[in-house]
Amino acid sequence: MSLQNASINITHFIIGGFDTLSRPIAVGVVILIAYFLAVLANMANIMFIISDKRLHKPMYLLICNLAVVDIMYTSSCSPTMIGVLLAGVNTISYVACLIQMFVFHLGTVMESFVLAVMALDRLIAIIYPFQYHSYLTNTRVLVLTFIVWFVNCFFMFVPLPHCSSRIRYTFCDFAAVLRTTCVNPDKYFNEVAIVAFLILFFTFIFICLSYCGILLFVKLSSNNEKKKIGSTLVSHLICVIVHYCPAFVRIMFTRLGVVLTLEERQGLLIGAVLGPCLVNPFVYSLRTKEIKNKIFKIFTKKVL
């Protein structure tokens, strides 16, 4: 039978990823709380940086950009999951599903590239501290940020004929939508896997090389400088670990032939989305001196 004859007209998708969940309300509440805290913390960081002209510097512009990416990333799928678990709304329109898929994968790619650019920022700041503000100006950071956003927006999904309206996963991502089509998904999965592999490892290797350059410089530094450098790198290192670990765990399990259940795969995916978006703003709020002092002053004024 041809694809045209086998395909059906899709106006809505049914999300069935939570059908076997024993405690949907509890999981929904956890996701809701995590999503609320992630959006609130990231919005607070953005407002702190925008409202204080002293924070209009390259590093803080990159932190602000990371907060925007985190809000977009978690907002691409969390409301859908919360709606399914707490409100029982398990349908999503065709157009909304495709938009969700695009925004979700844009957020995934942007997270990697933003962390890579932040690694470059730290490398220049540590190795060339006196020339830092001449190398990385606010204008150059904004232009670089715009280029990264512009390039990543070209990752598109070609519409294919659909043979099913039921999505096996918890929201609309590439794998979920592709499995509803009438085509053999292996070819598309292989192509996307190659692109994802290149993006993931290119950005990770770039970050590692940046850290290697910093470590070589640290060996020549005094003990006081080593402590200061270590303190500035901890925040970025935590964000890198939280973002890349779930992805590498999934890749490692796949290569070792470890068969994960659908629930385990979805758990890893949800953790990979909510983890970085929740951890990143708190890491930079608590470990960045200027933002931490601003928060302290706000709460001190309220108490007084």
Side-chain angles (χ1 to χ4, degrees), residues 5-304:
N5 294 331
S7 63
I8 58 176
N9 184 28
I10 297 291
T11 58
H12 289 78
F13 285 106
I14 301 170
I15 299 173
F18 291 119
D19 288 353
T20 59
L21 206 61
S22 58
R23 296 182 179 178
I25 300 296
V27 175
V29 170
V30 171
I31 294 176
L32 175 63
I33 294 172
Y35 175 62
F36 175 77
L37 290 175
V39 172
L40 185 65
N42 280 295
M43 284 297 296
N45 272 359
I46 293 171
M47 294 307 299
F48 291 152
I49 294 169
I50 291 176
S51 63
D52 193 339
K53 291 185 178 180
R54 293 172 298 177
L55 301 182
H56 293 179
K57 301 175 183 177
M59 184 184 75
Y60 296 103
L61 293 179
L62 292 174
I63 293 175
C64 188
N65 185 40
L66 180 64
V68 172
V69 172
D70 284 337
I71 292 173
M72 179 191 72
Y73 190 27
T74 188
S75 296
S76 66
C77 56
S78 295
T80 298
M81 294 189 291
I82 293 167
V84 174
L85 291 167
L86 299 182
V89 181
N90 65 342
T91 60
I92 182 171
S93 69
Y94 178 79
V95 175
C97 183
L98 295 187
I99 292 173
Q100 182 181 89
M101 179 184 64
F102 173 76
V103 174
F104 170 74
H105 289 291
L106 176 62
T108 305
V109 175
M110 280 299 301
E111 190 90 12
S112 298
F113 276 99
V114 170
L115 290 174
V117 173
M118 294 178 80
L120 175 64
D121 169 77
R122 292 298 84 203
L123 176 67
I124 296 174
I126 290 171
I127 296 182
Y128 303 105
F130 299 109
Q131 295 89 0
Y132 171 73
H133 290 290
S134 60
Y135 288 159
L136 274 184
T137 62
N138 288 349
T139 302
R140 288 176 180 174
V141 169
L142 291 174
V143 170
L144 181 59
T145 301
F146 173 78
I147 291 172
V148 171
W149 276 97
F150 182 76
V151 171
N152 286 309
C153 282
F154 279 99
F155 288 95
M156 300 292 289
F157 174 72
V158 179
L160 297 168
H162 295 272
C163 288
S164 173
S165 62
R166 187 173 185 82
I167 290 178
R168 296 172 53 197
Y169 300 96
T170 55
F171 57 88
C172 296
D173 69 341
F174 176 78
V177 175
L178 185 61
R179 290 189 184 280
T180 67
T181 63
C182 306
V183 301
N184 182 358
D186 293 340
K187 172 190 172 183
Y188 296 93
F189 279 140
N190 292 336
E191 291 175 355
V192 171
I194 292 171
V195 174
F197 178 86
L198 291 175
I199 292 172
L200 190 68
F201 279 89
F202 169 77
T203 54
F204 183 73
I205 289 171
F206 181 84
I207 292 170
C208 290
L209 290 175
S210 300
Y211 274 86
C212 288
I214 292 170
L215 290 174
L216 289 174
F217 180 80
V218 167
K219 287 185 177 181
L220 305 174
S221 306
S222 63
N223 289 332
N224 289 334
E225 287 178 331
K226 288 179 181 178
K227 291 180 181 178
K228 186 182 293 185
I229 291 170
S231 178
T232 60
L233 290 179
V234 168
S235 300
H236 183 261
L237 186 59
I238 292 172
C239 296
V240 169
I241 291 172
V242 173
H243 173 64
Y244 283 96
C245 271
F248 286 139
V249 166
R250 292 201 304 272
I251 292 172
M252 183 181 68
F253 282 167
T254 302
R255 294 303 166 204
L256 293 176
V258 178
V259 179
L260 298 176
T261 64
L262 187 60
E263 289 78 10
E264 290 169 342
R265 285 185 178 276
Q266 291 177 162
L268 274 175
L269 184 60
I270 294 171
V273 176
L274 291 177
C277 301
L278 187 60
V279 171
N280 292 346
F282 287 103
V283 165
Y284 279 107
S285 294
L286 297 176
R287 294 200 59 85
T288 304
K289 182 179 178 182
E290 289 82 356
I291 297 178
K292 184 168 63 175
N293 289 343
K294 192 170 182 64
I295 295 172
F296 180 75
K297 288 179 181 179
I298 291 172
F299 279 100
T300 302
K301 287 180 180 178
K302 286 185 177 181
V303 171
L304 291 176

